[in-house]
Amino acid sequence: MTAAKKQKTGGTDHPLLRGCGHIESGNTPDWVAALRETATESFAVTGLPTPAWEDWKYTALRALDNMDFARDTGLSAVPYYHAPFALPEMISLRILGGRLVKNATELPRGLEIHTLKDVWHEDWVAHYLAVPGNFADTPLEALNAACLCDGIVIRVAAGTRIEAPVLLSFLHENTDAEETQLSMPRILIAVEEGAALTVIEHHTGRGKYFTNQAATITVHKGAKLGHYRWQDEDKQSGFHITTTRLSCFDGAEYDGFTLTTGAKLSRHEIFADLLGEEIRCILNGAYRLGERQHTDTTLKTGHFEPRSTSKQIYKGVLNDQARAVFQGKIHVHRHAQGTDGHQLNHALLLSGEAEIDAKPELEIYADDVKCAHGATSGKLDDQALFYLKSRGIPENTAKDMLIEAFLGEAIEAIGHTAVRDAFLHLQNTAEQEAAA
Amino acid sequence: MLKIENLHATVGGKEVLKGLDLEVPAGEVHAMMGPNGSGKSTLSYVIAGRDGYEITKGRILFDGKDTAEMEPEERAAAGLFLAFQYPVEIPGVTTTNFLKTALNAVRKARGEKELDAVAFLKLQKEKTAALGIDTLMLKRGLNVGFSGGEKKRNEVLQLTMLSPKFAVLDETDSGLDIDALKIVAEGVNSLRGADRGFLVITHYQRLLDYIKPDRVHVLAGGKIVKSGGPELALELEKDGYGVFAEQNGKAA
């Protein structure tokens, strides 16, 4: 056993780095090479985080320690996939193995969508991505950067309001192989001054795989981004981690929502920097998990300038031995007078073995602010359940109605009407599947 | 139709019903009156099968069948209905969705065809209009933000939609003004018939002016202490429950 034991911490031959396989170095811009090197060195030192790390206290990545990895080449066919919904004018794109599958869709004027490799020599791309980051606290982000070889780049030109929503479908198929497939999507979304865009992500697949995504999102002055994600990865053997760095400037609006129903283990870590005044930043979500699924939402919102609003409202339902972690921190810096910050996590525990760990935090250095945070957990309301049953509604249907109503309240807050309706419907579908 | 034999029931370990006997044949309306704390609401919950209301002795037969092992939804499917004294608020579940799910669940359990959206909405519109219910209410969360009177009307709407064989009305008159009371009573009266029975639980005689009972029972101290015709309700109105207070007090 000892001999077979795999290396757990650090080293440049960490199984996850090895799993990334050969990364071509020809014709890559200098910033990419430099970033990979910094990130590799950082990951070699830290390795994967352990529960001894404060931010990882409730989420253990032990399951990844004893796996063999192989890079997802994106070549496996995914024939079964249908977009979960169709919205008017929706631009539907597939991402296989972290690479954008090119198609002939004609894009509206002012909207650019590229595979990273095609544009990484351009200055503006480097401007967003060539940040000499400090990866010490974000090893998963380091891992993504260490393996950087492609990605998805979306930009909307200043003043352009794109009505057509963009759907990005991240697909995985790895039901036969011994190794866990590694996929490292790198995303850049830039909404320039006064522009508007809606992006939907659907992460799904079958089999053994690990998606480790990193996203850089910038919403410029007066711009709007609606960003809605459905994490629907394989419930038995899919792993999903996303690290998002969001920057908003004066008057920007970011409306974010994550629906989590999938993955054996998932974590979404968002660093939201509100760098201007009068920004409205919504980071909401809902989760519904069963069996031994685990999800972790870690939000770090920084208010740097006056009069911005941030909201983080999550609602979740946990059954069986499922577990959810909610860590939220609102940091109000000295200049950020008039900040309005709101953070809540409501969880319903359907079984005695389900668990929620919620840690809302406020750190306030300005004196004129309005901030509230809280966390609740409870059970399904017995009275409500009896009322429904007394009208002839079978217990399971009655429970589903109450759960749907509970999560529906979170989903209702989605700012984009068509997406909101689609997500409400998704939630229902996901429940029916879970019940079947 | 409903037959209760020597019923003893506990709530939270405390015995509330202490040997209650009652028989309501099909086609009849019986009123159950009694002072506060006599066990009226407990009786209604025990009939509906609520968790925590435990039968320790005796039994409740519905259409000759012992209900002891039946879940609340099975009782509803068999044709039992309870109009709640305190209808529950359920945010996020619209009244329409709730009614449709309930009606089709009951129809399915009875081996009837489920109603499609068109047929359902037609029925709902008809029953809603008869009770003077604002259709906007149907789109809101179930009972959320409803006034006391609106909640009670909503209970009667469910009653008329589900048209059960036997209905227990638990203080449906409380919180109603006289006009609402008449409308609610009409709703109930419209369902009266040879093959349907009612147990009307009330503290006051007022409702019985509009829903004429065949028999009136007085519940005190967890058992029926007096039964009679409709005139008994009038006597109680005049004399109060004073004469039964002692029995009730002894029970408590």
Side-chain angles (χ1 to χ4, degrees), chain B:
Chain B
M1 179 166 265
L2 182 77
K3 194 172 181 198
I4 300 176
E5 298 172 348
N6 189 29
L7 184 68
H8 291 251
T10 58
V11 185
K14 184 171 169 266
E15 187 169 59
V16 178
L17 298 180
K18 304 171 178 178
L20 186 145
D21 290 284
L22 175 73
E23 183 165 8
V24 185
E28 291 193 6
V29 174
H30 287 208
M32 183 70 68
M33 302 183 74
N36 290 326
S38 58
K40 299 194 299 289
S41 281
T42 298
L43 175 62
S44 73
Y45 285 141
V46 173
I47 294 172
R50 183 169 189 166
D51 277 349
Y53 290 72
E54 207 183 325
I55 296 178
T56 48
K57 209 171 164 188
R59 55 184 190 160
I60 300 172
L61 300 168
F62 181 59
D63 274 344
K65 200 176 163 227
D66 191 344
T67 58
E69 297 301 317
M70 292 166 81
E71 288 292 318
E73 61 269 35
E74 292 168 329
R75 298 179 197 214
L80 265 173
F81 181 93
L82 167 64
F84 283 58
Q85 182 180 5
Y86 302 110
V88 182
E89 297 187 10
I90 309 186
V93 174
T94 64
T95 306
T96 296
N97 180 26
F98 162 70
L99 281 172
K100 186 163 188 267
T101 310
L103 181 60
N104 279 335
V106 166
R107 290 180 70 96
K108 199 174 158 192
R110 291 177 190 163
E112 294 167 21
K113 210 173 142 248
E114 293 181 35
L115 291 186
D116 62 23
V118 177
F120 169 78
L121 289 173
K122 187 168 171 275
L123 182 71
Q124 180 177 258
K125 201 175 160 190
E126 182 194 314
K127 303 295 185 194
T128 307
L131 288 165
I133 290 173
D134 184 350
T135 46
L136 282 176
M137 252 171 63
L138 302 171
K139 292 176 186 154
R140 304 218 305 252
L142 185 57
N143 292 321
V144 178
F146 289 20
S147 68
E150 284 172 329
K151 284 180 184 170
K152 294 302 174 72
R153 279 192 216 204
N154 195 15
E155 290 297 290
V156 178
L157 173 65
Q158 292 164 40
L159 170 69
T160 58
M161 291 286 288
L162 296 174
S163 61
K165 281 195 222 168
F166 193 93
V168 179
L169 274 57
D170 189 4
E171 305 222 4
T172 301
D173 50 336
S174 66
L176 290 184
D177 61 34
I178 196 74
D179 294 326
L181 190 70
K182 283 181 191 167
I183 293 169
V184 161
E186 273 170 35
V188 172
N189 288 330
S190 71
L191 286 176
R192 286 181 80 155
D195 41 15
R196 195 171 273 133
F198 289 89
L199 180 64
V200 180
I201 295 173
T202 182
H203 189 74
Y204 303 104
Q205 189 267 342
R206 192 178 66 151
L207 178 66
L208 305 179
D209 286 340
Y210 302 97
I211 303 173
K212 297 264 187 261
D214 297 293
R215 299 278 294 162
V216 175
H217 309 279
V218 180
L219 183 65
K223 53 170 87 171
I224 288 173
V225 291
K226 193 167 184 183
S227 295
E231 70 287 351
L232 178 56
L234 295 168
E235 279 171 38
L236 288 169
E237 183 75 1
K238 192 157 60 76
D239 304 335
Y241 292 107
V243 279
F244 307 109
E246 198 193 333
Q247 274 145 306
N248 204 42
K250 229 189 288 169

Side-chain angles (χ1 to χ4, degrees), chain A residues 99-292:
Chain A
R99 285 192 170 85
L100 183 66
V101 179
K102 290 188 184 175
N103 69 13
T105 312
E106 200 182 315
L107 299 178
R109 224 185 148 83
L111 172 65
E112 301 172 53
I113 301 179
H114 307 281
T115 188
L116 175 60
K117 255 175 147 175
D118 290 349
V119 287
W120 65 15
H121 287 284
E122 294 181 24
D123 288 345
W124 68 271
V125 174
H127 164 76
Y128 287 112
L129 298 183
V131 191
N134 175 2
F135 295 111
D137 296 325
T138 53
L140 279 301
E141 190 185 29
L143 179 64
N144 180 288
C147 303
L148 180 66
C149 58
D150 208 344
I152 304 104
V153 175
I154 300 177
R155 178 165 70 155
V156 193
T160 314
R161 302 199 158 242
I162 305 293
E163 293 296 325
V166 176
L167 171 68
L168 304 174
S169 301
F170 298 77
L171 310 177
H172 307 274
E173 175 84 10
N174 186 36
T175 46
D176 304 324
E178 276 296 303
E179 293 97 0
T180 297
Q181 272 187 356
L182 270 182
S183 166
M184 306 270 177
R186 184 75 181 89
I187 295 179
L188 168 61
I189 301 174
V191 189
E192 303 287 358
E193 202 172 311
L197 181 68
T198 301
V199 176
I200 303 151
E201 292 177 33
H202 182 208
H203 294 269
T204 191
R206 294 194 299 206
K208 290 197 282 185
Y209 59 92
F210 173 26
T211 300
N212 179 38
Q213 175 172 296
T216 299
I217 300 169
T218 304
V219 189
H220 287 275
K221 223 169 150 178
K224 278 172 93 162
L225 177 64
H227 188 197
Y228 312 108
R229 314 172 71 238
W230 181 23
Q231 190 276 90
D232 170 39
E233 309 276 27
D234 190 299
K235 291 180 174 65
Q236 266 76 45
S237 51
F239 290 77
H240 180 111
I241 294 176
T242 291
T243 310
T244 298
R245 295 205 179 259
L246 168 66
S247 307
C248 295
F249 293 90
D250 287 348
E253 279 183 43
Y254 177 86
D255 184 37
F257 190 91
T258 299
L259 176 64
T260 299
T261 57
K264 174 87 173 80
L265 182 147
S266 67
R267 170 158 160 134
H268 191 196
E269 185 161 0
I270 305 179
F271 298 87
D273 286 343
L274 313 189
L275 301 165
E277 301 185 7
E278 299 188 2
I279 293 160
R280 194 174 151 76
C281 178
I282 313 290
L283 307 169
N284 288 350
Y287 47 89
R288 185 174 185 187
L289 303 178
E291 297 182 11
R292 290 179 173 275

Side-chain angles (χ1 to χ4, degrees), chain A residues 315-436:
Chain A
K315 294 188 98 171
V317 177
L318 302 169
N319 206 348
D320 308 320
Q321 290 106 48
R323 188 173 175 194
V325 178
F326 179 84
Q327 307 184 102
K329 188 178 205 172
I330 301 177
H331 188 132
V332 181
H333 292 263
R334 206 157 50 86
H335 295 297
Q337 301 296 354
T339 287
D340 187 353
H342 206 73
Q343 182 176 82
L344 274 172
N345 182 72
H346 296 294
L348 270 186
L349 306 178
L350 301 184
S351 104
E353 291 170 282
E355 184 177 326
I356 169 77
D357 297 287
K359 198 173 86 175
E361 279 180 282
L362 293 174
E363 207 171 314
I364 300 172
Y365 297 98
D367 46 26
D368 175 24
V369 302
K370 206 167 83 188
C371 282
H373 68 168
T376 66
S377 70
K379 294 175 181 171
L380 275 184
D381 181 353
D382 283 343
Q383 277 198 54
L385 195 58
F386 171 63
Y387 191 56
L388 296 177
K389 286 169 68 176
S390 79
R391 296 298 179 252
I393 299 173
E395 176 149 334
N396 283 336
T397 310
K399 282 184 175 170
D400 272 348
M401 285 174 83
L402 294 177
I403 291 165
E404 205 177 285
F406 176 80
L407 295 180
E409 281 188 315
I411 298 173
E412 290 282 349
I414 290 178
H416 189 290
T417 318
V419 174
R420 181 185 70 204
D421 292 347
F423 269 59
L424 282 169
H425 181 72
L426 278 184
Q427 195 231 136
N428 302 351
T429 321
E431 277 163 18
Q432 279 152 19
E433 273 171 22

